[in-house]
Amino acid sequence: MKKKNPTRAVAFVLIVVVLLPAILYSGFEITALSTQENLIADTYRRQLDVVLYSINQYAWDVANTWASTLALLHVEQPRGKDVPDSLLTSFLVKHPGIDALFEADSAGGGPRVTSMRPVESGGQDEFAAALRADPDRIDRLLRLSRQGYRKIEGMTLGDSLSPHQSLLLLFVIRDRIDRPLLAGFRIEETQFVNNILLHLGGDSTAEFATEVIRTRSNERVAATDSFPSEEFQPRRQLWLFPHLAVGIRLKGETIEEIARSRTRRNLALILLLDAVLIAGAVVIYRSVRREIDLVRLKSDFVSNVSHELRTPLALIRMYAETLEMGRLKSETKRREYHRTIVGETERLTRLVNNLLSFSRMEAGRKPYTLATADVNGIVSTVLETFLPHLRAQGFSPVVIPDPSHPAILADQEAVQEALLNLIDNAVKYSGTGKYLKIATGHGGGMVWISVEDHGIGIAREHHDRIFETFERISTGLVHTTRGSGLGLSITRHIMDAHGGTVGLESTPGKGSTFRLVFPALVTNTPSAKKGKAATV
Ligand code: ADP
């Protein structure tokens, strides 16, 4: 039966339960964003439309109030009498927005001009020309007036391209005996436009800016702010003067900018959310994979250790029984058997020591008694006990001690154990290249012991992994070599407790150099206390 891969199952669940919904949701949100953007832009545009409407309404109200006031003056006169000049002049004084006032009978006859300017040359002609220009319009105004409705028509006077354009507001009023009268207000375009713009959008606290342009030439008549003309959107024609259009824009950001910055913010949030989810999924996946690996490593470890225990025990038993039966005649053979038994016992002791160290470290109960130590001394102690074993394995170690190195602060026994693990590995993973060099050295405030072999070497990608508990590179020679996967992790733990590190340089097929690096002891510093005990 095919073995199930639990890591793949976890990855599948994470993708289906976390990533897929997140991606689908994000996709949905991102497509919804442009709809939202349009919606926001629409809402703003509608609000601005309302403002434009109110500007138009205001302009209309102003004109209507003026017309009503003038109509009232006529109604208040005795029957058949014209409004005296003095009243019309004071009407103009009260309404500075009006430049001149024209009146004529319904046929356009007897035109009369009232103006605040001393000489109003050609005023009557101007008015008569305006009446003549569009007789249909005059008829319409008169007809509406008969029906009791006063309509006000706006038109331009004279040269429509002149920068100082004058406008005419034309309407019909009725006097006391209900005689229709054609009346007109001449107003200065810029002044009128400024007046209506300032009414709503003119003060500096207003949220929006307004502008009036001439629709045909796109020429600006007036504006409350200096934004470029094309940014005033939306734009609407003035009811009174269709040749003019009023445009509006928000003062801070334009509608498009608001919608775009909202979209950008939402997009950033969605992406952030996705990133967090993906990071979360990766973290979960990694930790689950680590747990699964650990379970596998532990089970490998149990079988490795059983094997490690059984092999030397079987050898010891077999050699001891042979010796006991006294079958061996030659003294050399007997000595060789004894050596094997001693060697295997040492191996068992090392294994049991490593197991004990490991379980203490796991429980955080391994005590370290730090004292001033000398790395050369540590190397010679280890070699003294291990040399026979090394020789028996065909190694003649090269030892190069550093003659003048600083002392270190160390737990002698623990460092010996770390060094022994490195030497043991050098022997185990050397294959036929039986070379072992142990050297000590110092520099840059550090002191080190290095163990070099010409063995199988370790590929770069395994350099970090092999220091993890139970990790073994289970290929080639390692596969056939006994080991628990504890040695290097114990070594690193010991070095951590000394404030040191384990260095590694290795080339596959050429060999490896492991280096135990300690901080040098500066003897006059207060921290260099003798016999300091630490539990790590
Ligand atoms: P063990 O030797 O019991 O397997 P270690 O923790 O001491 O466990 O070593 C972990 C792994 O590192 C070994 O299984 C081996 O693959 C690799 N290794 C350690 N030392 C050497 C070395 N000197 N040369 C080649 N590989 C090594």
Side-chain angles (χ1 to χ4, degrees):
M1 201 174 76
K2 211 175 148 195
K3 212 173 148 190
K4 271 192 190 161
N5 184 341
T7 328
R8 221 180 268 172
V10 172
F12 178 74
V13 169
L14 283 176
I15 287 171
V16 170
V17 174
V18 181
L19 297 183
L20 215 60
I23 288 165
L24 285 178
Y25 172 74
S26 305
F28 172 75
E29 278 295 298
I30 287 167
T31 39
L33 274 183
S34 69
T35 323
Q36 274 179 19
E37 189 176 341
N38 289 339
L39 210 69
I40 293 163
D42 270 1
T43 312
Y44 272 104
R45 221 165 271 136
R46 235 169 284 142
Q47 280 181 7
L48 292 182
D49 255 348
V50 171
V51 179
L52 288 182
Y53 184 89
S54 96
I55 289 178
N56 244 327
Q57 182 73 51
Y58 177 73
W60 175 264
D61 283 349
V62 168
N64 201 34
T65 312
W66 289 345
S68 300
T69 316
L70 183 68
L72 203 65
L73 278 182
H74 281 272
V75 173
E76 281 169 352
Q77 294 315 306
R79 282 171 161 269
K81 288 264 186 220
D82 277 345
V83 181
D85 284 348
S86 59
L87 276 184
L88 292 181
T89 312
S90 74
F91 170 81
L92 286 182
V93 172
K94 276 190 212 142
H95 300 95
I98 304 170
D99 212 17
L101 165 64
F102 302 116
E103 285 175 357
D105 62 30
S106 56
R112 177 185 183 192
V113 181
T114 314
S115 169
M116 293 302 289
R117 296 205 198 138
V119 185
E120 186 58 59
S121 58
Q124 288 174 356
D125 300 344
E126 207 178 13
F127 186 47
L131 296 183
R132 270 199 310 275
D134 197 348
D136 288 350
R137 191 192 306 222
I138 310 293
D139 283 350
R140 196 166 58 243
L141 287 179
L142 287 167
R143 199 175 56 244
L144 285 170
S145 172
R146 269 198 303 280
Q147 291 162 1
Y149 179 73
R150 188 173 58 232
K151 183 168 176 9
I152 301 175
E153 290 273 1
M155 53 208 287
T156 51
L157 275 178
D159 177 9
S160 65
L161 293 174
S162 141
H164 302 291
Q165 174 84 60
S166 282
L167 306 174
L168 181 68
L169 289 173
L170 192 64
F171 51 95
V172 173
I173 49 178
R174 304 188 94 81
D175 66 6
R176 197 170 190 144
I177 51 170
D178 208 27
R179 240 182 348 178
L181 236 118
L182 289 168
F185 294 137
R186 190 176 68 188
I187 52 180
E188 214 269 303
E189 185 185 57
T190 325
Q191 198 194 353
F192 178 75
V193 161
N194 269 324
N195 178 21
I196 59 164
L197 289 190
L198 286 176
H199 161 68
L200 270 173
D203 69 279
S204 57
T205 55
E207 282 175 17
F208 42 79
T210 41
E211 178 209 46
V212 171
I213 56 161
R214 291 186 184 154
T215 35
R216 226 181 289 154
S217 57
N218 273 345
E219 184 188 346
R220 173 176 284 179
V221 179
T224 56
D225 289 83
S226 57
F227 297 111
S229 239
E230 60 274 10
E231 288 184 8
F232 286 87
Q233 286 297 341
R235 229 177 248 289
R236 296 285 173 266
Q237 268 184 337
L238 276 185
W239 301 334
L240 274 180
F241 300 106
H243 75 285
L244 295 177
V246 53
I248 193 165
R249 61 154 280 170
L250 287 169
K251 265 191 186 166
E253 291 175 304
T254 61
I255 297 172
E256 282 71 23
E257 278 163 0
I258 290 176
R260 224 173 296 135
S261 71
R262 271 191 62 121
T263 306
R264 232 176 285 141
R265 203 176 48 231
N266 287 347
L267 201 66
L269 276 176
I270 291 171
L271 293 181
L272 186 77
L273 188 78
D274 279 354
V276 169
L277 277 173
I278 291 171
V282 169
V283 168
I284 293 174
Y285 174 73
R286 283 219 180 141
S287 68
V288 169
R289 197 179 63 181
R290 179 88 203 109
E291 284 300 313
I292 291 169
D293 283 353
L294 212 63
V295 170
R296 182 180 50 76
L297 285 171
K298 276 188 180 162
S299 89
D300 287 356
F301 168 73
V302 172
S303 78
N304 281 341
V305 168
S306 320
H307 186 70
E308 281 263 278
L309 288 171
R310 210 174 39 219
T311 319
L313 278 177
L315 276 177
I316 292 169
R317 185 171 172 184
M318 185 178 83
Y319 282 30
E321 277 174 2
T322 319
L323 284 170
E324 195 188 22
M325 283 186 253
R327 279 212 212 118
L328 293 172
K329 298 285 170 273
S330 107
E331 183 58 26
T332 347
K333 248 315 182 239
R334 262 206 298 276
R335 228 179 287 134
E336 191 195 317
Y337 273 41
H338 274 128
R339 252 204 323 270
T340 310
I341 290 173
V342 171
E344 290 303 312
T345 326
E346 275 169 359
R347 163 168 283 283
L348 276 179
T349 314
R350 272 202 310 282
L351 177 66
V352 172
N353 280 347
N354 264 349
L355 287 174
L356 279 177
S357 293
F358 171 70
S359 80
R360 284 209 202 106
M361 283 171 192
E362 279 279 274
R365 278 189 292 106
K366 176 149 172 79
Y368 289 96
T369 311
L370 302 181
T372 312
D374 152 39
V375 282
N376 287 346
I378 293 173
V379 170
S380 45
T381 314
V382 169
L383 278 178
E384 241 168 61
T385 47
F386 214 54
L387 203 56
H389 172 70
L390 287 176
R391 292 245 162 83
Q393 300 285 327
F395 284 85
S396 311
V398 180
V399 182
I400 305 178
D402 179 358
S404 62
H405 61 81
I408 59 167
L409 202 58
D411 181 319
Q412 296 252 16
E413 261 185 43
V415 178
Q416 282 169 19
E417 190 181 343
L419 181 58
L420 212 57
N421 280 332
L422 296 187
I423 297 175
D424 197 24
N425 280 348
V427 172
K428 283 198 296 189
Y429 305 115
S430 267
T432 48
K434 293 191 186 288
Y435 175 84
L436 176 64
K437 181 170 118 185
I438 303 166
T440 54
H442 75 280
M446 307 308 269
V447 179
W448 61 80
I449 308 172
S450 65
V451 177
E452 183 183 339
D453 64 56
H454 289 177
I456 57 171
I458 303 154
R460 184 76 201 85
E461 68 263 28
H462 298 314
H463 280 202
D464 289 333
R465 228 187 77 194
I466 54 169
F467 289 96
E468 301 289 330
T469 311
F470 308 136
E471 285 286 1
R472 309 193 74 218
I473 309 161
S474 43
T475 49
L477 179 65
V478 184
H479 189 62
T480 51
T481 309
R482 287 182 281 163
S484 58
L486 286 181
L488 286 181
S489 89
I490 291 173
T491 302
R492 189 168 69 176
H493 194 282
I494 292 172
M495 292 312 291
D496 284 349
H498 285 80
T501 52
V502 191
L504 168 60
E505 282 162 34
S506 182
T507 315
K510 292 240 165 76
S512 318
T513 304
F514 283 87
R515 200 184 289 256
L516 303 176
V517 187
F518 301 87
L521 180 64
V522 185
T523 37
N524 55 0
T525 58
S527 65
K529 281 189 209 134
K530 277 196 168 190
K532 187 178 150 212
T535 302
V536 181

